[in-house]
């Protein structure tokens, strides 16, 4: 509106000056020039609008693919370890899990993710978003299809092929983290970048619930025999992860190649990467994300295991999938409220700090309740739901958005990738920590440890991250650099 106002004022002033001077022809020539400029501007605006539509589509589906492929391993593993759609230590599973797979299968995707985030985030800034997105989503397709279609033979061979496929898939999923954020926030003002990135991030919620809904659907299919049913179910769950990545590949190939690297002088990216201010900022964005993911993935990725502890050792796969899907729905509601209500109201830093502090208290509450009333399944499930809701409404939203606000566009993909890589190191820590501590000390010990992790994350968020409003400006001072640099 300000640009339009200035444009109209110039238009009226120039016309009036021409009339006063009696230069009608000059006024006519000026008007013709303005029409030509307006036509060119309109064409550029239309092109930008088309790009933004493609960018929003690609970013949203990329986030869907991220969370689907993270979550599908949990329910697929539960299916493989079931017999006749029942899970119990007393039953021999259809695909017995080797000891090495018990400790490392769910973590190997995070190892691949760290590699993908570090490499593809940098390539997004160096080569451009379009070629980087094509590479990273091709890896998702390859990894998902390999896990589903090549995992045959003995039990050890099946689990081994899945592990290799999950590593390759993890590299692609990890690359999608910084690239989808950079894609959504590309070439738009900061307030619009926050809105677009938040909208794209929301689709991680539907991606997270989809494997459980698909699992429920597969259980209703006609039965052909226990081993055959299990094979079809887990292969379908893993293989479907390739579909959203294929959609991203198609959409990316159809868009105009406007996602070229940010125009910069030779060596400017290297200079920007050497800025001490950016690396100081990284302590806040990466550190809080690390501690959050320790808690988040230590809880969510193992939600079927936790639910089995809460509701009993033997239950049907339908019960596992239904309760996990209910938690995902609760998480989606929390994400929506965080993005639409609390983020504009209190800002990203406060959302992050307060959310982690509340999560610390709730983890502690869960540990106490489980220790005192281990058989009160309804009460424990309520505590778990409240915990998931708090994690989703606060730090899950803020940790993804803070690197978008904190870093300039020419290095945003790289430093978002570094921040996300630190987060997935936290996810690996949580994924490795949970089964070991749970086996030795039980669920209350895990929850108590997570309470401490969230408390440290809240403290780091308070001390290392400055307040940022929705427009991406420092609220403390207009002249003070934001996270160590001026916008």
């Amino acid at each position: 509106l300000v640009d339009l106002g200035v444009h109209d004022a110039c238009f009226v002033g120039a016309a009036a000056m021409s009339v006063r001077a009696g230069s009608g022809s000059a006024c006519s020539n000026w008007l013709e020039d303005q029409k030509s400029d307006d036509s060119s501007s309109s064409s550029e605006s239309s092109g930008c609008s088309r790009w933004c539509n493609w960018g929003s589509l690609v970013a949203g589906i990329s986030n869907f693919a991220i969370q689907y492929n993270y979550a599908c391993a949990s329910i697929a593993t539960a299916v493989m370890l079931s017999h006749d759609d029942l899970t119990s230590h007393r039953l021999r599973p259809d695909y017995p899990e080797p000891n090495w797979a018990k400790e490392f299968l769910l973590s190997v995707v995070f190892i691949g993710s760290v590699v993908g985030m570090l490499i593809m985030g940098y390539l997004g800034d160096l080569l451009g978003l379009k070629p980087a997105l094509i590479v990273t989503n091709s890896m998702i397709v390859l990894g998902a299809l390999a896990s589903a279609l090549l995992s045959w033979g003995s039990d050890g061979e099946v689990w081994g092929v899945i592990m290799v496929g999950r590593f390759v898939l993890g590299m692609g999923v990890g690359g999608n983290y910084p690239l989808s954020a950079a894609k959504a926030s590309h070439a738009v003002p900061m307030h619009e970048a926050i809105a677009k990135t938040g909208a794209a991030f929301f689709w991680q919620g539907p991606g997270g619930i989809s494997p459980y809904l698909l699992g429920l659907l597969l259980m209703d299919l006609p039965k052909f025999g226990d081993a055959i049913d299990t094979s079809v179910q887990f292969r379908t769950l893993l293989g479907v992860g390739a579909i959203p990545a294929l959609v991203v590949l198609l959409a990316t190939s159809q868009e105009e190649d406007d996602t070229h690297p940010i125009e910069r002088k030779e060596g400017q990216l290297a200079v920007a990467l050497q800025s001490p201010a950016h690396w100081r900022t990284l302590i806040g964005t990466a550190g809080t994300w690390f501690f959050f993911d320790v808690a988040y993935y230590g809880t969510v990725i193992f939600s079927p295991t936790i639910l089995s502890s809460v509701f009993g050792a033997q239950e049907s796969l339908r019960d596992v999938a239904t309760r996990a899907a209910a938690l995902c729905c609760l998480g989606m509601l929390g994400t929506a409220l965080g993005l639409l209500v609390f983020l504009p109201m209190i800002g990203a830093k406060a959302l992050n700090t307060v959310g982690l502090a509340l999560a610390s208290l709730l983890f502690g509450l869960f540990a106490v309740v489980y220790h005192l009333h281990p058989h009160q399944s309804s009460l424990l499930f309520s505590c778990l739901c409240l915990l998931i809701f708090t994690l989703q409404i606060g730090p899950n939203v803020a940790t993804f958005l803070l690197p978008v606000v904190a870093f300039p566009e020419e290095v945003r993909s790289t430093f978002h990738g570094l921040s996300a890589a630190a987060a997935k190191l936290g996810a690996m820590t949580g994924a490795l920590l949970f089964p070991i501590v749970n086996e030795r000390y039980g669920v209350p010990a895990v929850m108590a440890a997570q309470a401490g992790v969230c408390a440290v994350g809240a403290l780091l968020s308070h001390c290392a991250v400055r307040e940022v409003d929705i427009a991406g400006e420092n609220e403390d001072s207009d002249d003070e650099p934001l996270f160590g640099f001026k916008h």
Side-chain angles (χ1 to χ4, degrees):
L1 289 176
V2 172
D3 290 341
L4 287 174
V6 172
H7 174 82
D8 290 343
C10 292
F11 179 92
V12 173
M17 289 172 63
S18 298
V19 169
R20 287 196 197 99
S23 355
S25 60
C27 181
S28 298
N29 292 337
W30 187 87
L31 290 172
E32 290 298 326
D33 291 340
Q34 292 305 305
K35 290 179 180 178
S36 175
D37 291 344
D38 288 346
S39 175
S40 175
S41 176
S42 175
S43 175
E44 292 176 2
S45 176
S46 175
C48 180
S49 177
R50 288 193 300 270
W51 184 91
C52 289
N53 289 336
W54 277 116
S56 299
L57 174 67
V58 169
I61 299 177
S62 294
N63 276 274
F64 181 96
I66 288 171
Q67 205 58 35
Y68 179 93
N69 284 291
Y70 279 148
C72 71
S74 188
I75 185 63
T77 300
V79 169
M80 296 175 71
L81 297 177
S82 69
H83 178 74
D84 196 22
D85 285 347
L86 292 175
T87 60
S88 173
H89 295 299
R90 295 189 295 270
L91 298 175
R92 186 185 187 280
D94 292 331
Y95 289 87
E97 188 176 23
N99 290 330
W100 53 264
K102 291 180 181 179
E103 296 187 357
F104 299 111
L105 178 64
L106 292 178
S107 298
V108 73
V109 67
F110 295 131
I111 299 174
S113 294
V114 171
V115 176
M117 288 165 176
L118 295 175
I119 295 176
M120 302 312 300
Y122 176 72
L123 290 181
D125 285 330
L126 182 67
L127 303 178
L129 299 178
K130 181 174 181 177
L133 279 166
I134 290 174
V135 172
T136 194
N137 282 281
S138 297
M139 297 177 73
I140 295 176
V141 173
L142 176 62
L145 294 181
S147 299
L149 302 180
L150 301 182
S151 51
W152 301 94
S154 66
D155 294 332
E157 291 171 340
V158 170
W159 288 96
V161 171
I162 291 176
M163 178 169 285
V164 174
R166 296 291 293 174
F167 177 79
V168 175
L169 179 143
M171 292 180 64
V173 170
N176 260 349
Y177 255 90
L179 294 178
S180 66
K183 181 81 169 179
S185 61
H186 180 74
V188 294
M190 181 54 67
H191 69 278
E192 190 174 347
I194 292 294
K196 288 181 177 293
T197 305
F201 176 74
F202 172 79
W203 285 97
Q204 287 198 18
I209 194 175
S210 294
Y212 300 105
L213 297 180
L214 178 59
L216 290 171
L217 178 63
L218 290 171
M219 293 171 202
D220 289 331
L221 294 179
K223 304 297 183 182
F224 299 99
D226 193 49
I228 297 176
D229 293 338
T230 300
S231 178
V232 171
Q233 289 170 356
F234 90 78
R235 295 179 195 282
T236 302
L237 287 164
L238 296 176
V240 165
I243 294 177
L246 284 170
V247 175
V248 172
L249 284 174
L250 177 62
T252 303
S253 65
Q254 293 297 316
E255 72 176 356
E256 297 178 6
D257 194 10
D258 287 345
T259 58
H260 50 73
I262 304 299
E263 293 184 4
R264 56 172 69 91
K265 297 178 182 179
E266 184 177 357
Q268 187 174 351
L269 176 60
V271 172
L273 292 176
Q274 295 172 8
S275 169
H278 295 335
W279 292 99
R280 287 195 299 270
T281 300
L282 188 66
I283 295 175
T285 59
T288 57
W289 208 348
F290 171 87
F291 288 112
F292 165 67
D293 266 28
V294 171
Y296 182 78
Y297 281 98
T299 303
V300 175
I301 208 70
F302 292 99
S303 58
T305 304
I306 295 174
L307 293 172
S308 295
S309 298
V310 172
F311 289 98
Q314 179 168 325
E315 55 183 343
S316 68
L317 285 175
R318 185 177 300 278
D319 292 336
V320 173
T322 300
R323 289 165 187 154
L327 291 178
C328 290
C329 288
L330 195 63
M332 289 172 59
L333 176 61
T335 299
L337 286 175
L339 288 169
L340 298 176
V341 179
F342 293 102
L343 181 65
M345 183 185 303
I346 65 175
K349 175 190 172 180
L351 191 62
N352 199 37
T353 304
V354 174
L356 286 169
L358 287 176
S360 177
L361 295 175
L362 291 172
F363 272 118
L365 176 63
F366 190 103
V368 172
V369 171
Y370 194 100
H371 179 72
L372 297 177
H373 305 284
H375 303 297
Q376 296 292 326
S377 58
S378 298
L379 179 60
L380 291 170
F381 185 67
S382 298
C383 290
L384 184 61
C385 289
L386 184 59
L387 179 58
I388 297 296
F389 183 76
T390 302
L391 290 172
Q392 290 280 0
I393 201 172
N396 190 44
V397 172
T399 51
F400 189 84
L401 293 178
L402 279 174
V404 174
V405 179
F407 297 104
E409 191 170 357
E410 60 266 21
V411 293
R412 184 173 296 158
S413 180
T414 298
F415 279 94
H416 196 288
L418 289 169
S419 300
K424 289 302 164 276
L425 289 175
M428 280 192 294
T429 302
L432 290 171
L433 179 71
F434 184 91
I436 296 174
V437 176
N438 180 54
E439 183 175 347
R440 295 181 181 179
Y441 305 105
V443 172
V446 173
M447 293 300 169
Q450 304 294 48
V453 166
C454 287
V456 174
L459 182 63
L460 182 62
S461 178
H462 178 72
C463 297
V465 179
R466 293 182 182 177
E467 184 61 76
V468 179
D469 66 10
I470 194 65
E473 298 173 350
N474 192 328
E475 291 184 348
D476 297 333
S477 169
D478 292 338
D479 299 325
E480 190 176 5
L482 170 63
F483 289 94
F485 67 89
K486 290 183 182 288
H487 248 304

